[in-house]
Amino acid sequence: MSTSLWQPSLRTPDPAIRILDKRFEHYRLPHATVERLWTGSRWGEGPVWFGDRRTLLWTDLPNGHILRWDEETGSVAPYRTSADKANGLTCDRQGRLIACEHGGRRVTRTEYDGSITVLADSYQGKPLNSPNDVVVTADGAVWFTSPPFGLVSDYMGQIAAPQLPASIYRIDPASGILNCVADDVAGPNGLAFSPDEKIMYVVASRARPRTIVAYNVVNGNSLKNGRVLIDAADGTTDGFRVDIDGNLWCGWGTGSAELDGVRIFAPDGTAIGHISLPERCANLCFGGRHKNRLFMAASSSLYSLYVNTRGAV
């Protein structure tokens, strides 16, 4: 379906919300429908919710913009027009914006006064590839992926040769020291943690088919026992988030009407539900007052859906 022809469902339950396993029945609200909040981006990515401001920030990666959606008014305006092709976003435990920037090949923090602090731009004297997605854990550590995706074109970053393996990194909250915690994932992309932060999940974007790999987290600062949890088969997973019950809500799609949208997996890796969208969803987050509103950043549009769960972080 063309995005220009998309219309919200007048039927409830919304047929776009598909139950693949009876476990998903609990999470589908019978009177909630998919809403399109805005359209007009080239490639939407990295949404993050700021509850104190009642706003959502997300990126339009090729245009190098960070956009802001206001919950109270429904308006969209630029938050930052020179965002150095920012991709994944999150906020730290002090409510400050953390951004992965393809253009600058760095991870930054926006301070309360609007100034920018560079948290990481190199490892062992070599520039990072293109930081892609980022999570801050309860201890304040910043975990991020750095595949070479932003180095293959000037559209999504800047053309350059990678000098480091595609890796997952952790910035220590006390010392600020950057450590590589894994370099054995084929194209590490989106990442998230289980509610108790004992498991870290990461998308292997260069695996064929794509997979989501699970690691045990050791002492809060290292990983072991990497194993495939989810085989995406014909789907293409990207960014994702975990709810309070440990389910994985994954951006999904390949340009197919059957696959585009969000695929939901139980903690055991079973696909239990799907939210159909008229375009591929790159990333998502939970927000709203009760953290029960799913915000979905798709190729050209921003969508939302109220669900019967809450985001874990």
Side-chain angles (χ1 to χ4, degrees):
M1 180 188 299
S2 168
T3 57
S4 63
L5 300 177
W6 183 87
Q7 293 292 329
S9 175
L10 299 179
R11 295 184 176 90
T12 56
D14 188 338
I17 307 163
R18 307 189 334 245
I19 295 173
L20 306 180
D21 182 288
K22 64 180 182 180
R23 284 175 284 180
F24 189 64
E25 293 175 359
H26 169 76
Y27 300 105
R28 185 184 70 172
L29 293 170
H31 302 295
T33 60
V34 176
E35 304 170 70
R36 185 165 69 179
L37 305 178
W38 182 85
T39 189
S41 59
R42 283 200 167 98
W43 181 256
E45 257 285 5
V48 59
W49 175 255
F50 287 86
D52 58 335
R53 309 174 202 171
R54 294 181 62 188
T55 61
L56 181 92
L57 300 182
W58 84 106
T59 60
D60 182 357
L61 179 52
N63 283 324
H65 297 164
I66 298 178
L67 302 169
R68 176 179 58 211
W69 175 81
D70 182 88
E71 183 184 41
E72 186 169 2
T73 66
S75 63
V76 170
Y79 171 79
R80 185 175 297 156
T81 56
S82 299
D84 221 352
K85 298 195 175 178
N87 190 342
L89 306 176
T90 193
C91 61
D92 68 10
R93 299 292 161 156
Q94 290 73 45
R96 297 169 295 188
L97 176 66
I98 307 293
C100 290
E101 300 177 1
H102 276 195
R105 302 171 68 172
R106 63 186 190 172
V107 178
T108 64
R109 182 178 66 219
T110 301
E111 308 296 347
Y112 300 126
D113 62 3
S115 60
I116 303 295
T117 297
V118 177
L119 301 181
D121 59 5
S122 62
Y123 180 68
Q124 296 182 342
K126 299 177 181 179
L128 297 173
N129 294 330
S130 51
N132 183 282
D133 208 354
V134 59
V135 173
V136 177
T137 45
D139 62 357
V142 178
W143 301 67
F144 67 94
T145 56
S146 183
F149 306 155
L151 304 181
V152 299
S153 75
D154 292 324
Y155 186 67
M156 290 290 202
Q158 58 177 357
I159 295 175
Q163 298 183 42
L164 292 167
S167 301
I168 306 168
Y169 296 95
R170 177 184 182 272
I171 304 173
D172 186 82
S175 66
I177 293 174
L178 179 68
N179 287 311
C180 176
V181 293
D183 60 5
D184 57 348
V185 177
N189 196 325
L191 76 165
F193 286 80
S194 61
D196 61 7
E197 298 187 350
K198 293 183 179 180
I199 301 174
M200 192 201 75
Y201 307 102
V202 62
V203 172
S205 290
R206 290 295 178 260
R208 292 294 180 268
R210 287 195 184 194
T211 60
I212 296 181
V213 178
Y215 286 90
N216 295 107
V217 181
V218 181
N219 298 322
N221 59 20
S222 61
L223 305 175
K224 72 173 184 179
N225 190 29
R227 67 274 186 193
V228 173
L229 176 70
I230 295 166
D231 182 331
D234 294 332
T236 302
T237 185
D238 197 334
F240 65 102
R241 293 293 182 270
V242 176
D243 69 19
I244 56 175
D245 294 325
N247 300 301
L248 284 69
W249 298 67
C250 306
W252 208 258
T254 59
S256 162
E258 291 297 315
L259 294 175
D260 285 348
V262 174
R263 182 66 57 93
I264 302 94
F265 295 87
D268 64 6
T270 303
I272 61 173
H274 190 90
I275 303 165
S276 294
L277 298 175
E279 51 188 321
R280 177 175 167 181
C281 178
N283 212 330
L284 48 85
C285 74
F286 291 92
R289 180 181 176 185
H290 300 294
K291 295 169 63 178
N292 66 335
R293 192 173 189 180
L294 187 69
F295 292 97
M296 299 165 278
S299 304
S300 66
S301 307
L302 177 68
Y303 299 88
S304 78
L305 174 68
Y306 284 96
V307 295
N308 195 29
T309 187
R310 300 182 179 191
V313 179

